[in-house]
């Protein structure tokens, strides 16, 4: 399939706010790719089409940075690139390593972009930086895939969840049919997409969704880890399904020592200080984000695993069991020191008291969980409700204004945006310059200038945006910003390079805090 067909589809999807229209456009393109998919080669092509339409490359990490995109070659006069051509180039680019690798990658990228038309260049840039900005999230592509083959959306969603990939589900569906998807089950060694938590401002708001009694976990501010053990083989995956096994030998050892042979666990990796209080997120992220001198990192920052869910143990799948069953089996299978701090709450007052205590202990808050809920992998489900001591949102930073006075020369006042649930568009709802250290100001100025797409006399606008965790005291109705609300006392807590645009909080979640 020509790349231009995907570019046309992406433009069509971006041009409408209608979810049905987006689905129809995606289904048409996917159906074309699936027409010849009974062969192995055809199955591979539809996997690429679905991957690209979801806004990513198959390789995900290619080593291509902003410098490679600084000066693109003139666009090609006509469309000749195929999706397979593009994948082959990025497969080659991802494999380049060693001395001179930056120059070699740049040369390959330049050669590819020279063969692309102007719209194709923009599309490829969006794929490289996972910023296609077409309002088509992976869930919508799943809808389009289901429509293209006239199968139930729920079947596609479940298979993609268990395979950890919508593209892999597409390949199975195209080559074999819906029966292949219906037979997909939890497989030890293949990570599933993690269940996510919705938000609530306090226990009074959370408990009506969870019901009582509820299981209440301490919310740990660490790195989400999914553990798979099959005999002597232990693998560790992050929330984005990246394999980080080699970076965390102490976690591997702890799991390998358990008296079971097959496991799938969901938990959090954190570091604890000598006083038993958790180390800052940045310290933990620095350790887990590096594969350089793992032994020294382990010595300096030893990490511990805290498990809050069990999806499989010794041949028994628990994914669809209620949390009450999963929790009971987990208590039997795991030692107490591996379990997350939790209580069984019978009242709102117990939830509030536990919340107060864990915050005093240095944890981030609590997660209130419905005992009847199955593990809703890949979804932000009301079966889990997180409560933090302040209102925090992960927002997109779409621009920044030049500072004055002591901040002269730095980009300082941030333009913040939330995500429109229906379209995926980013909607501005406020600004802030609070919470920024000199180090953060220096770093973000460099990042903004590297991502600059346009500027005015006072501001620089970026694409793709950065993602930051923002704390606020509340919101108030306002016509000043497109979102219809303004943030009260917004301040930056940290940048979240571990999150994607799909994980930016929605404008609906922010507006829900408004008292009006």
């Amino acid at each position: 399939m020509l790349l231009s067909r995907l570019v046309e589809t992406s433009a069509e999807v971006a041009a409408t706010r209608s979810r049905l229209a987006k689905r129809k456009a995606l289904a048409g393109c996917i159906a074309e790719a699936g027409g010849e998919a009974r062969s192995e080669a055809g199955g591979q092509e539809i996997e690429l089409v679905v991957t690209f339409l979801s806004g990513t490359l198959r390789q995900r990490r290619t080593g291509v940075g902003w410098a490679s995109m600084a000066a693109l070659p003139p666009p090609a006069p006509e469309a000749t690139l195929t999706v397979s051509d593009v994948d082959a180039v990025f497969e080659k680019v991802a494999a380049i390593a060693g001395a001179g690798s930056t120059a070699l990658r740049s040369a390959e990228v330049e050669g590819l972009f020279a063969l692309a038309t102007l719209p194709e260049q923009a599309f490829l840039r969006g794929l490289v930086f996972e910023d296609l900005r077409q309002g088509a999230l992976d869930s919508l592509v799943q809808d389009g895939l289901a429509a293209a083959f006239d199968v139930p959306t729920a079947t596609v969603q479940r298979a993609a969840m268990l395979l950890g990939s919508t593209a892999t589900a597409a390949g199975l569906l195209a080559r074999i049919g819906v029966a292949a998807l219906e037979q997909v089950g939890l497989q030890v060694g293949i990570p599933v997409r993690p269940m996510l938590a919705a938000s609530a401002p306090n226990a009074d708001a959370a408990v009506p969704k969870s019901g009582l009694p509820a299981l209440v976990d301490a919310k740990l501010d660490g790195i989400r880890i999914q553990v798979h053990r099959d005999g002597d083989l232990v693998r560790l995956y992050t929330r984005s399904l990246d394999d980080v096994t080699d970076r965390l030998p102490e976690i591997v050892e702890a799991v390998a020592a358990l008296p079971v042979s097959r496991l799938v666990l969901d938990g959090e990796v954190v570091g604890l200080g000598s006083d038993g209080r958790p180390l800052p997120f940045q310290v933990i992220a620095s350790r887990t984000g590096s594969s350089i001198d793992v032994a020294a990192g382990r010595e300096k920052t030893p990490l511990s695993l805290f498990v809050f869910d069990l999806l499989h143990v010794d041949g028994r799948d628990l994914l669809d069991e209620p949390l009450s069953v999963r929790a009971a089996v987990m208590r039997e299978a795991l030692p107490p020191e591996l379990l997350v701090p939790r209580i069984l709450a019978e009242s709102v007052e117990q939830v509030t008291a536990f919340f107060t205590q864990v915050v005093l202990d240095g944890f981030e808050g609590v997660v209130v969980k419905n005992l009847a809920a199955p593990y809703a992998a890949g979804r932000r489900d009301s079966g889990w409700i997180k409560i933090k001591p302040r209102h925090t949102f992960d927002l997109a930073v779409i621009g920044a204004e030049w500072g004055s006075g002591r901040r002269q020369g730095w980009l300082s006042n941030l333009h913040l945006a939330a995500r429109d649930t229906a379209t995926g568009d980013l909607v501005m709802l406020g600004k802030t310059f609070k919470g920024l250290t000199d180090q953060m100001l220096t770093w973000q100025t460099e990042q903004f200038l590297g991502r600059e797409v346009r500027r005015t006399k006072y501001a620089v606008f970026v694409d793709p945006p950065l993602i930051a965790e923002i704390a606020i005291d509340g919101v108030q109705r306002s016509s000043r910003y497109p979102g219809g609300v303004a943030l009260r006392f917004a301040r930056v807590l940290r940048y979240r390079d571990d999150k994607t645009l799909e994980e930016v909080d929605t404008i609906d979640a922010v507006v829900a805090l408004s008292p009006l």
Side-chain angles (χ1 to χ4, degrees):
M1 174 177 280
L2 286 174
L3 180 67
S4 59
R5 178 67 179 93
L6 273 68
V7 175
E8 292 167 0
T9 300
S10 179
E12 187 176 351
V13 168
T16 179
R17 295 177 63 89
S18 166
R19 186 178 180 91
L20 289 177
K22 290 176 186 287
R23 172 178 169 156
K24 182 178 179 181
L26 292 166
C29 184
I30 293 171
E32 287 181 30
E36 302 297 328
R38 294 293 175 181
S39 67
E40 185 66 26
Q44 291 173 350
E45 181 172 76
I46 194 173
E47 290 186 20
L48 292 176
V49 168
V50 167
T51 300
F52 289 2
L53 288 176
S54 297
T56 66
L57 294 168
R58 181 173 61 86
Q59 297 77 14
R60 295 192 63 224
R61 286 177 171 80
T62 61
V64 176
W66 295 105
S68 302
M69 302 290 183
L72 294 178
E78 59 180 328
T80 60
L81 281 174
T82 67
V83 293
S84 297
D85 293 336
V86 172
D87 181 69
V89 170
F90 282 112
E91 184 70 8
K92 183 177 180 180
V93 167
I96 296 173
S101 58
T102 300
L104 290 173
R105 280 193 290 264
S106 294
E108 290 291 339
V109 170
E110 183 175 355
L112 174 64
F113 274 72
L115 298 174
T117 63
L118 188 61
E120 288 172 340
Q121 286 187 347
F123 184 84
L124 289 173
R125 181 179 178 275
L127 292 183
V128 170
F129 298 115
E130 297 191 350
D131 182 46
L132 205 52
R133 306 294 295 279
Q134 60 187 14
L137 307 181
D138 191 53
S139 61
L140 191 54
V141 174
Q142 290 174 3
D143 288 351
L145 176 61
F149 288 88
D150 194 23
V151 301
T153 300
T155 302
V156 172
Q157 290 174 336
R158 181 171 177 80
M161 167 191 81
L162 293 171
L163 294 167
S165 167
T166 302
T168 303
L172 281 176
L173 180 58
R175 285 192 297 268
I176 303 174
V178 68
L181 295 192
E182 293 172 342
Q183 293 170 8
V184 172
L186 179 67
Q187 301 177 60
V188 178
I190 297 180
V192 303
R193 294 176 177 177
M195 183 171 177
L196 305 174
S199 299
N202 50 46
D204 288 328
V207 165
K209 299 178 182 179
S210 67
L212 289 173
L215 204 60
V216 187
D217 291 356
K219 189 177 189 308
L220 310 179
D221 193 17
I223 301 298
R224 183 83 172 265
I225 289 291
Q226 190 177 126
V227 178
H228 287 247
R229 178 182 173 182
D230 189 357
D232 294 332
L233 180 64
V234 177
R235 309 305 299 177
L236 309 177
Y237 302 94
T238 65
R239 62 183 288 156
S240 56
L241 309 188
D242 293 319
D243 190 328
V244 292
T245 307
D246 295 341
R247 301 177 188 181
L248 300 169
E250 65 267 50
I251 307 302
V252 172
E253 292 167 9
V255 174
L258 296 173
V260 295
S261 59
R262 304 187 85 227
L263 273 175
V264 179
L265 305 172
D266 192 4
E268 198 97 356
V269 168
V270 299
L272 299 175
S274 57
D275 58 357
R277 295 176 67 82
L279 298 176
F281 173 83
Q282 290 84 351
V283 175
I284 304 166
S286 177
R287 163 72 200 283
T288 58
S290 175
S291 57
I292 300 173
D293 202 349
V294 172
R298 176 180 183 176
E299 180 69 24
K300 180 180 179 182
T301 312
L303 300 176
S304 300
L305 173 67
F306 288 91
V307 179
F308 47 73
D309 223 318
L310 175 62
L311 308 185
H312 179 96
V313 59
D314 284 342
R316 181 181 179 184
D317 284 344
L318 297 162
L319 196 73
D320 296 322
E321 296 282 0
L323 175 60
S324 57
V325 172
R326 303 198 307 273
V329 177
M330 190 167 68
R331 288 194 299 271
E332 296 174 0
L334 303 179
E337 61 268 21
L338 284 186
L339 302 180
V340 69
R342 64 178 17 163
I343 66 165
L344 182 65
E346 302 279 354
S347 67
V348 172
E349 290 74 21
Q350 284 182 297
V351 176
T352 301
F354 186 63
F355 169 81
T356 302
Q357 184 58 56
V358 298
V359 171
L360 288 174
D361 291 340
F363 295 108
E364 193 178 22
V366 297
V367 182
V368 183
K369 298 183 175 181
N370 187 324
L371 286 168
Y375 190 90
R379 302 202 305 274
R380 193 174 299 279
D381 192 87
S382 60
W384 292 5
I385 308 292
K386 60 185 177 183
I387 307 172
K388 297 182 182 182
R390 57 196 167 193
H391 303 305
T392 65
F393 295 95
D394 294 319
L395 300 178
V397 183
I398 57 177
E401 297 169 5
W402 291 106
S404 58
R406 200 182 72 79
R407 295 189 175 187
Q408 184 76 34
W410 280 326
L411 284 164
S412 174
N413 200 18
L414 308 181
H415 292 206
L416 305 173
R419 181 167 52 84
D420 185 299
T421 308
T423 67
D425 295 336
L426 295 175
V427 182
M428 187 175 174
L429 39 69
K431 303 178 184 180
T432 188
F433 55 83
K434 296 182 178 181
L436 297 169
T437 65
D438 288 358
Q439 182 180 8
M440 293 172 72
L441 286 163
T442 301
W443 178 85
Q444 71 185 26
T445 299
E446 178 182 354
Q447 289 291 315
F448 294 156
L449 294 178
R451 300 169 183 234
E452 177 182 351
V453 291
R454 67 182 180 89
R455 68 167 61 194
T456 65
K457 182 178 180 180
Y458 302 106
V460 171
F461 297 91
V462 298
D463 190 11
L466 298 168
I467 299 173
E469 185 177 6
I470 306 296
I472 63 173
D473 287 355
V475 297
Q476 59 190 32
R477 294 289 181 178
S478 172
S479 59
R480 182 177 182 182
Y481 300 113
V485 296
L487 307 178
R488 297 183 65 247
F489 304 109
R491 59 268 191 200
V492 179
L493 297 181
R494 54 179 166 166
Y495 280 98
R496 295 300 302 259
D497 58 0
D498 61 323
K499 294 204 170 185
T500 67
L501 281 176
E502 289 191 9
E503 296 179 276
V504 168
D505 280 306
T506 65
I507 187 67
D508 291 343
V510 178
V511 170
L513 290 179
S514 174
L516 300 178

